[in-house]
RNA sequence: GCCCCCGUAGCUCAGUGGAUAGAGCAUCCCCCUCCUAAGGGGAGGGUCACACGUUCGAUUCGUGUCGGGGGCACCA
């Protein structure tokens, strides 16, 4: 007779029943928390204190009334009223022991919560300009977004992952120009390479490949390329724009090829990078299609119909100040080209049209000022802006040799996500990225990540998983035989602590989904692994007592399931074996260690 | 000037409207004849930046101050 509800859900129902005698209780949610101190029981309920004021009675007195009408349960050992009016509940061991069997029965479904109720949610993340390799800042957005998407899916949402491709606009033109200038130099047409163009080696590589494929088909005289272009020192941006205009004129229809080649190369590179990082998208949505399909025209017309657009200085402005923005914003420039903002309005209206109940954008914290603008435009267009949630992810600041490293894509001086993955591994990178709250700045110390990768908490968790695999493998039996065992043999404090932790998983997933906080999964897994290691250190699993052995194996099999499920949510692998690479101290390290010792001995 | 994030142990950071605020690293001390010691146990270490409010109760919520970081384009 295995119950299907968790101990907490069971108790919540009991308290709901007990509280229903008070009319006011309908507005109060039953909160059961796990006390920090074991002497306060398995759960503590503060409902008496919540009700006390409205009832104008002493909280301890209210607690008495609640307890008097609390239905009898075979899981409850005893209850007590403590402190200012807490009701502490002590459960019988069987309440927790059942958790192991419940977990094994649920299998991969364990931890699912009803939060999402099958609602469709779209999550858009990364969406980096395809103008160069992804860097460590994009990595954080990728790891956060992918983990959050997994968490939402496990919490019962139907999740759609999308990448918005900024394939229109000036930045892409600058990349195309940069590539073309490098290409021209291959035919000895030397145009001074602008300092504010894309400097990275990947640009030259693309030029090489175009030259290899098509020879001098796109070659033009350098003198014509720089003709009538603004001075590079006094007007660097105007200089770039002049070069772009000349490139478009001189190349004619061929410009689209150079532009398209650069786009495809960079987008493909980013896609491969992300795929290797375990970050997969359902849709890659092209900004250009918004322009070409007339969706932006439509969106702006929609705003015009609601009288939120006016003309000034030859441009069209959206009156965003009417929606809480600090100033009005241009949607159609004087030159007749829509702004990025205009495209984004159309894009978000399109998201809503596609029938998502909820839309989540993962943006870098530098975009925070942009939120009110987009939401304002959605409201202005008659859409429900509350269906859009923007999750801001603070910067990942990179440190190398203790110094903040430059992160500029144009200057080409940055560490790529690919480099980072190669150095610390995908698992450590994914885990490290989500180990901080998203609204916390992340100091990513490369040297530390590299030199101490063996101390990374991800290994601690993976090791717990590997240990279980090792034991179950040595046992050699089938996991199915562990679903129906005499679980009452689990009575050690460490075993019960582990069971309690396993029981928390569903609430953890639920809270992580609700708060858009995948980091709490990472912290939960650390705690879970710690409990497992504790049991491992105190209990022998493969003992002669057959019933005890099966009970303990059942416990660790359930633990393995939760570890696996949780790690999968974070995109981290769950290895069955951990093999340590014996690192021999290099001569420099040995020297450094020696000199450090000498320094200390001088004190 | 306006807006956003942060301020918790020596360091990096979790956490909570509740009853004695936690982890990892670092420091110190223990534990492998035994399923991987990438492990376990223990010790020390705190004015939860500061002030005032709200509350039965504030480290948590609000306001202000101070400190750190970031953002305020007819760029994307």
């Amino acid at each position: 007779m295995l119950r299907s509800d968790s101990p907490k859900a069971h108790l919540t129902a009991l308290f709901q029943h007990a509280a229903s005698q008070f009319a006011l209780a309908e507005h109060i949610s039953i909160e059961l928390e796990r006390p920090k101190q074991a002497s306060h029981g398995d759960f503590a309920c503060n409902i008496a204190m919540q009700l006390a004021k409205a009832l104008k009675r002493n909280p301890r007195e209210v607690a008495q009334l609640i307890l008097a009408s609390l239905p009898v349960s075979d899981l409850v050992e005893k209850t007590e009223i403590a402190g200012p009016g807490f009701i502490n509940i002590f459960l019988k061991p069987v309440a927790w022991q059942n958790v192991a069997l419940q977990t094994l029965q649920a299998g991969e479904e364990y931890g699912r919560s009803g939060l999402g109720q099958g609602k469709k949610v779209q999550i858009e993340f990364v969406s980096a300009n395809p103008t160069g390799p992804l860097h460590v800042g994009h990595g954080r957005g990728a790891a956060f977004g992918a983990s959050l998407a997994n968490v939402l899916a496990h919490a019962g949402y139907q999740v759609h992952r999308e990448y918005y491709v900024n394939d229109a606009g000036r930045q892409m033109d600058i990349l195309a120009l940069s590539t073309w200038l490098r290409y021209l130099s291959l035919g000895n047409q030397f145009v001074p390479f602008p300092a504010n163009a894309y400097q990275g080696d990947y640009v030259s590589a693309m030029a090489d490949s175009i030259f290899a494929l098509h020879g001098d088909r796109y070659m033009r005289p350098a003198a014509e390329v720089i003709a009538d272009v603004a001075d590079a020192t006094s007007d660097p941006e105007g200089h770039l724009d002049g070069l772009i205009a000349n490139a478009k004129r001189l190349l004619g229809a061929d410009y689209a090829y150079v532009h398209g080649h650069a786009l495809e190369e960079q987008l493909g590179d980013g896609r491969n990078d992300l795929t290797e990082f375990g970050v997969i998208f359902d849709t890659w949505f092209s900004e250009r299609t918004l322009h070409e399909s007339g969706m932006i025209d439509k969106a702006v017309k929609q705003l015009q119909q609601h009288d939120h657009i006016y003309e000034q200085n030859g441009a069209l402005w959206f009156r965003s100040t009417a929606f809480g923005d600090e100033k009005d914003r241009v949607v159609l420039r004087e030159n007749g080209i829509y702004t990025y903002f205009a495209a984004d309005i159309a894009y978000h209206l399109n998201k809503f049209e596609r029938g998502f109940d909820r839309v989540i954008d993962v943006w870098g914290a530098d975009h925070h000022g942009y939120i009110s603008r987009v939401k304002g435009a959605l409201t202005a267009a008659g859409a429900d802006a509350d269906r859009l949630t923007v999750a801001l992810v603070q910067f990942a600041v990179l440190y190398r040799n203790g110094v903040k490293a430059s992160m500029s894509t144009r200057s080409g001086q940055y560490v790529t996500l690919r480099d980072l993955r190669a150095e610390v591994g995908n698992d450590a990178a994914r885990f490290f990225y989500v180990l901080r709250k998203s609204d916390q700045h992340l100091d990513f110390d490369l040297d530390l990540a590299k030199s101490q990768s063996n101390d990374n908490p991800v290994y601690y968790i993976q090791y717990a998983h590997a240990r279980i695999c090792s034991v179950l493998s040595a046992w050699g039996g089938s996991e199915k035989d562990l679903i129906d065992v005499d679980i009452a043999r689990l009575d050690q404090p460490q075993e019960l602590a582990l069971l309690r932790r396993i029981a928390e998983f569903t609430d953890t997933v639920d809270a992580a989904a609700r708060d858009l906080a995948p980091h709490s999964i990472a912290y939960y897994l650390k705690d879970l692994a710690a409990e497992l290691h504790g049991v491992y250190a105190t209990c022998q699993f493969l003992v002669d007592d057959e019933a005890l052995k099966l009970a303990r194996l059942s416990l660790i099999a359930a633990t393995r399931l939760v570890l696996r499920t949780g790690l999968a949510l974070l995109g981290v692998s769950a290895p069955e074996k951990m093999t340590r690479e014996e690192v021999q101290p290099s001569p420099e390290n040995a020297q450094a260690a020696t000199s450090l010792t000498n320094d200390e001995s001088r004190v």
Side-chain angles (χ1 to χ4, degrees), chain A residues 76-150:
Chain A
V76 176
E77 176 81 45
K78 65 165 177 168
T79 56
E80 66 180 21
I81 298 168
F86 290 105
I87 298 174
N88 293 338
I89 304 105
F90 296 77
L91 296 179
K92 292 179 184 169
V94 66
W96 299 113
Q97 287 156 351
N98 282 338
V99 169
L101 305 184
Q102 287 166 353
T103 302
L104 287 174
Q105 271 191 346
E108 288 175 3
E109 297 297 304
Y110 185 67
R112 282 203 184 279
S113 80
L115 185 74
Q117 298 176 310
K119 284 183 183 159
K120 286 176 71 182
V121 58
Q122 187 222 39
I123 174 166
E124 181 218 320
F125 59 110
V126 188
S127 301
N129 286 347
T131 52
L134 297 170
H135 56 62
V136 293
H138 300 129
R140 186 175 192 189
F144 173 82
S147 299
L148 176 58
N150 292 341

Side-chain angles (χ1 to χ4, degrees), chain A residues 204-467:
Chain A
S204 301
M206 288 194 294
D208 291 344
S209 106
I210 292 176
F211 192 70
L213 286 168
H214 303 285
D216 57 6
R217 175 173 170 180
Y218 306 105
M219 212 53 75
R220 301 290 186 275
E224 292 184 33
V225 177
I226 48 174
D228 304 321
V229 167
D231 180 62
T233 22
S234 61
D235 182 10
E237 297 303 320
H239 178 72
L240 271 188
D241 288 331
L243 290 173
I244 290 167
N246 282 349
K248 287 181 175 173
R249 184 171 47 80
L250 293 167
L251 283 168
D254 284 342
Y255 180 80
Y257 169 77
V258 176
H259 186 280
H261 180 88
L263 172 67
E264 289 308 318
E265 285 289 313
Q266 295 314 310
L267 200 56
D269 179 68
R271 194 191 314 239
N272 291 340
D273 201 7
L274 290 167
T275 301
E276 286 173 15
F277 199 35
V279 178
I280 311 288
F281 292 91
D282 299 301
T283 306
W284 295 70
F285 193 100
S286 157
E287 178 190 357
R288 200 158 47 180
T289 61
L290 291 170
H291 291 267
E292 290 168 354
S293 65
M295 285 163 77
I296 305 180
D297 296 323
K298 198 179 119 192
V300 172
K301 280 204 185 83
Q302 215 168 320
L303 290 174
Q304 269 170 328
Q305 281 163 8
H306 290 83
D307 200 26
H308 297 305
I309 297 285
Y310 63 91
E311 190 175 343
Q312 188 181 310
N313 302 333
L316 287 186
W317 295 70
F318 165 56
R319 205 184 309 278
S320 53
T321 45
F323 299 90
D325 201 0
E326 53 194 19
K327 58 171 286 200
D328 291 342
R329 308 290 173 174
V330 170
V331 288
L332 185 64
R333 295 189 198 104
E334 195 179 356
N335 64 10
I337 298 173
Y338 283 118
T339 58
Y340 179 82
F341 176 47
D344 235 351
I345 298 170
Y347 179 41
H348 282 85
L349 287 173
N350 170 269
K351 288 184 183 191
F352 284 1
E353 280 166 17
R354 278 188 275 163
F356 294 110
D357 298 300
R358 199 172 165 199
V359 169
I360 297 172
D361 288 351
V362 177
W363 291 348
D366 55 332
H367 284 64
H368 87 266
Y370 197 67
I371 299 174
S372 59
R373 212 179 306 178
V374 171
K375 287 203 164 197
L378 290 174
T379 305
D384 178 10
D386 287 340
R387 281 158 62 197
L388 168 67
T389 307
V390 179
L392 289 182
V393 178
Q394 291 291 328
F395 286 172
V397 185
L398 195 64
Y399 287 83
R400 192 183 273 293
N401 300 322
V403 182
K404 196 184 280 190
S406 166
M407 293 270 287
S408 164
T409 310
R410 282 211 219 170
S411 70
Q413 295 173 349
Y414 52 86
V415 173
T416 63
L417 173 60
R418 193 172 267 115
D419 288 342
L420 179 76
R421 294 195 294 108
E423 285 169 12
V424 307
N426 281 331
D427 285 341
R430 283 290 298 260
F431 196 81
F432 215 96
Y433 270 132
V434 296
L435 201 53
R436 293 278 170 277
K437 273 191 298 209
S438 56
D439 52 11
Q440 178 81 248
H441 289 274
L442 173 63
D443 290 342
F444 210 125
D445 187 330
L446 265 187
D447 306 301
L448 191 73
K450 276 184 285 185
S451 68
Q452 297 199 349
S453 61
N454 272 5
D455 292 333
N456 193 301
V458 73
Y459 292 96
Y460 182 80
I461 298 165
Q462 289 181 321
Y463 183 47
H465 182 267
R467 275 183 144 178

